[in-house]
Amino acid sequence: MPSPLSADRPAAQPPRRGTVDALISQTRRLRGDVDAVRRGTSADGADTEGRWQRALCELTLHQLSDVDDHLAQLRDGLDAPAGDADESGAPAGPVAARPGVSLLSRVGSAEWNLLTDEASWSGELYAILGRDPAAPALTLDELPSLVLEEDRPQLTAMVTDCLIDARRIDGEFRIPLPDDMVRTVHMMGEPVLDDDGNTASMWAVLRDVSELRRSQRAVSETRDSLERRRHIARAEHRIAVELQEAVLPPWRGALRLPQRGPQTLDVAARYLPCSTTELIGGDWYDALELPGGESLLSVGDLTGHGVTVTSGMATLIGAVRGLAMAGTEPGQLMACLNQLLDATGQPALGSAVCCRYRPATRTLVWAQAGHPAPLLFRDGTGRVLPTPDGVLLGATSGAVYGQDEVTLRPGDVLLLHTDGLVPRGDTAAVQRLLDLAPRFAEAETSRDGVRAVVEEFGEGEREDDACVLVATVLA
């Protein structure tokens, strides 16, 4: 018996959310109309025409329910975040039926006469059950022989309840096929009673719902997989945040250096997270008191996001602090960082700028590795410091890094940042920073300077993580 809804459809372009919602509404209205027709048909077992009309209505209702389910799954898929993929590269999130596969099913019918022990099957049922059309139809006693062993008790119970207790049949069973595939069959049926109220025969319609069930399992498995990935991502995000908070300087807002003895620098910094992803990047800043009253100022960025990158960032910060405390000059310090990244098992690239301030001579010695140069603001104007040679950390083995120095004056403001704030080579953005010179001249503290940068470049909508550090020379 061909399905009234099984006409083949040409492949369509992915639908929009509004189109799917409209189809869902139409499907549900049609289901209500069919249900009204079903309720108006005769339930008298002796009325053969009414019985089959009601069977067709029942079948159509099941088909429409399946279509409704698939449309809802498709809508969920349209709502799922784009870009996620599983390990094989397949899109994550809920999925609908595979292209070229009908959401509807092949349908066959059967009737078993209990008085004559005769069975009558439609031609389509032979195909669904994998039987030779020339072979005789199986009796109810023989039917379980086609079914997977674990499903036989369920089929037997459904048939027994129908024949003895006059209950309707509505259940599924699976049939093994010669090609090692398994077909899922949905069976609906009712007993036909004689004048004495005894069961004289049983009729049923059977649907091949294999593809439907495979699609539903795929949806369920994909949702479970997506939820697992989300759980892992949340856990990784929490770990990365905790690790970042542990390795970035413990001071917040502002810092005076050195903390012991005459203070020569007023320092403030801010980490600005990316707004387009929850993953933590490798941007960092640091300010550290060194022996003899000198100070270390540094910012850097390890490419990538996530726990691995944050862990690598922690390693770099530790190395910078240790080398600086040991008296290593900025140029040689960069060479050591490059060697460190080159020696790690996992390839990584990073950029950094490292400054050593000597208050006795007000000299700033600095070096960079593929990083934006510091900006110096003095007397209401700003300029970019000359950039010594230095390639990205991890880009090449044995790289040599130059260093430069500049003499500072009281009131000078030094600004360091990562390229998440201003990309390296973006002259227009650099000029926007330099145009902040009047505000730096009016700022009472370095914290005010950081606030001016954040107001100009925005704190909320960012496509990448960024760090900004401002240091004002006090004396």
Side-chain angles (χ1 to χ4, degrees):
M1 180 187 303
S3 166
L5 301 175
S6 60
D8 291 335
R9 303 288 185 187
Q13 295 299 317
R16 297 181 182 273
R17 168 67 185 262
T19 302
V20 176
D21 284 337
L23 289 172
I24 290 175
S25 297
Q26 293 174 11
T27 300
R28 291 175 179 175
R29 283 197 297 269
L30 181 56
R31 190 171 59 188
D33 294 341
V34 173
D35 189 45
V37 174
R38 181 189 64 83
R39 291 194 300 269
T41 58
S42 172
D44 186 358
D47 184 356
T48 303
E49 182 177 352
R51 172 160 49 87
W52 283 107
Q53 184 179 6
R54 191 169 73 259
L56 286 173
C57 290
E58 297 268 7
L59 173 63
T60 303
L61 289 173
H62 273 271
Q63 296 274 26
L64 290 171
S65 294
D66 291 341
V67 173
D68 190 9
D69 289 344
H70 272 76
L71 288 172
Q73 293 164 8
L74 178 58
R75 180 182 58 191
D76 292 344
L78 295 174
D79 290 340
D84 290 340
D86 61 18
E87 292 77 1
S88 66
V95 294
R98 297 196 298 269
V101 176
S102 172
L103 301 183
L104 306 179
S105 325
R106 293 186 302 173
V107 181
S109 61
E111 187 165 6
W112 289 272
N113 189 313
L114 303 183
L115 302 179
T116 62
D117 204 27
E118 292 178 341
S120 175
W121 288 7
S122 68
E124 187 71 8
L125 184 56
Y126 278 92
I128 292 173
L129 299 183
R131 295 281 293 173
D132 183 354
L138 297 182
T139 66
L140 287 175
D141 291 335
E142 296 170 330
L143 187 62
S145 64
L146 293 179
V147 180
L148 285 177
E149 185 174 356
E150 54 265 38
D151 290 355
R152 291 175 187 172
Q154 178 181 349
L155 175 60
T156 301
M158 287 192 302
V159 172
T160 301
D161 290 344
C162 180
L163 299 181
I164 296 178
D165 299 329
R167 295 182 183 177
R168 297 179 66 249
I169 289 178
D170 190 346
E172 294 183 3
F173 52 85
R174 292 167 296 168
I175 296 175
L177 301 177
D179 54 1
D180 293 330
M181 297 293 289
V182 174
R183 180 166 293 160
T184 303
V185 177
H186 180 245
M187 182 177 183
M188 294 188 306
E190 288 185 354
V192 179
L193 306 181
D194 59 19
D195 294 339
D196 297 328
N198 299 317
T199 303
S201 63
M202 190 189 86
W203 62 268
V205 290
L206 296 94
R207 293 191 302 151
D208 177 4
V209 294
S210 306
E211 197 59 47
L212 173 64
R213 296 299 176 250
R214 278 193 288 269
S215 176
Q216 290 173 336
R217 286 195 298 272
V219 169
S220 177
E221 291 169 0
T222 305
R223 283 174 173 163
D224 291 344
S225 176
L226 180 60
E227 183 57 34
R228 285 195 298 271
R229 287 197 296 273
R230 286 173 175 168
H231 177 74
I232 292 172
R234 287 193 293 267
E236 289 184 347
H237 175 73
R238 184 180 66 255
I239 293 172
V241 169
E242 292 175 353
L243 183 57
Q244 182 192 58
E245 291 178 348
V247 298
L248 287 180
W251 51 271
R252 294 291 183 266
L255 175 70
R256 294 291 180 97
L257 292 174
Q259 298 183 57
R260 293 178 293 274
Q263 295 175 339
T264 58
L265 289 179
D266 174 31
V267 182
R270 180 84 65 85
Y271 171 79
L272 302 172
C274 174
S275 60
T276 60
T277 177
E278 292 186 354
L279 295 177
I280 300 298
D283 293 64
W284 51 270
Y285 64 87
D286 198 15
L288 184 68
E289 179 182 342
L290 300 177
E294 298 183 356
S295 299
L296 169 75
L297 305 175
S298 63
V299 297
D301 180 14
L302 194 62
T303 57
H305 294 83
V307 174
T308 301
V309 171
T310 311
S311 176
M313 176 196 72
T315 300
L316 285 183
I317 293 177
V320 169
R321 291 171 177 171
L323 290 167
M325 290 294 290
T328 307
E329 290 293 301
Q332 182 58 36
L333 189 150
M334 289 297 173
C336 293
L337 293 183
N338 181 67
Q339 185 176 0
L340 176 64
L341 280 186
D342 188 49
T344 58
Q346 185 171 357
L349 290 174
S351 68
V353 60
C354 179
C355 306
R356 191 181 188 102
Y357 179 63
R358 300 188 174 105
T361 58
R362 294 199 186 98
T363 302
L364 183 81
V365 181
W366 74 283
Q368 63 85 32
H371 200 89
L375 278 62
L376 177 61
F377 296 86
R378 176 181 293 169
D379 298 331
T381 61
R383 63 185 177 94
V384 180
L385 293 182
T387 306
D389 293 336
V391 299
L392 284 170
L393 300 173
T396 181
S397 299
V400 176
Y401 294 84
Q403 64 182 34
D404 198 6
E405 65 178 60
V406 61
T407 301
L408 303 180
R409 303 175 186 172
D412 283 354
V413 176
L414 194 68
L415 189 152
L416 281 62
H417 64 87
T418 61
D419 58 9
L421 180 74
V422 174
R424 184 180 177 88
D426 188 340
T427 55
V430 172
Q431 187 58 49
R432 286 173 60 197
L433 272 177
L434 295 176
D435 290 343
L436 293 175
R439 295 190 62 179
F440 283 118
E442 297 172 357
E444 296 182 359
T445 66
S446 291
R447 182 184 292 184
D448 295 333
V450 170
R451 186 179 300 113
V453 174
V454 172
E455 290 175 354
E456 174 66 23
F457 288 87
E459 183 175 13
E461 298 297 326
R462 312 202 56 80
E463 295 183 358
D464 195 7
D465 302 76
C467 285
V468 57
L469 183 148
V470 174
T472 303
V473 178
L474 299 177

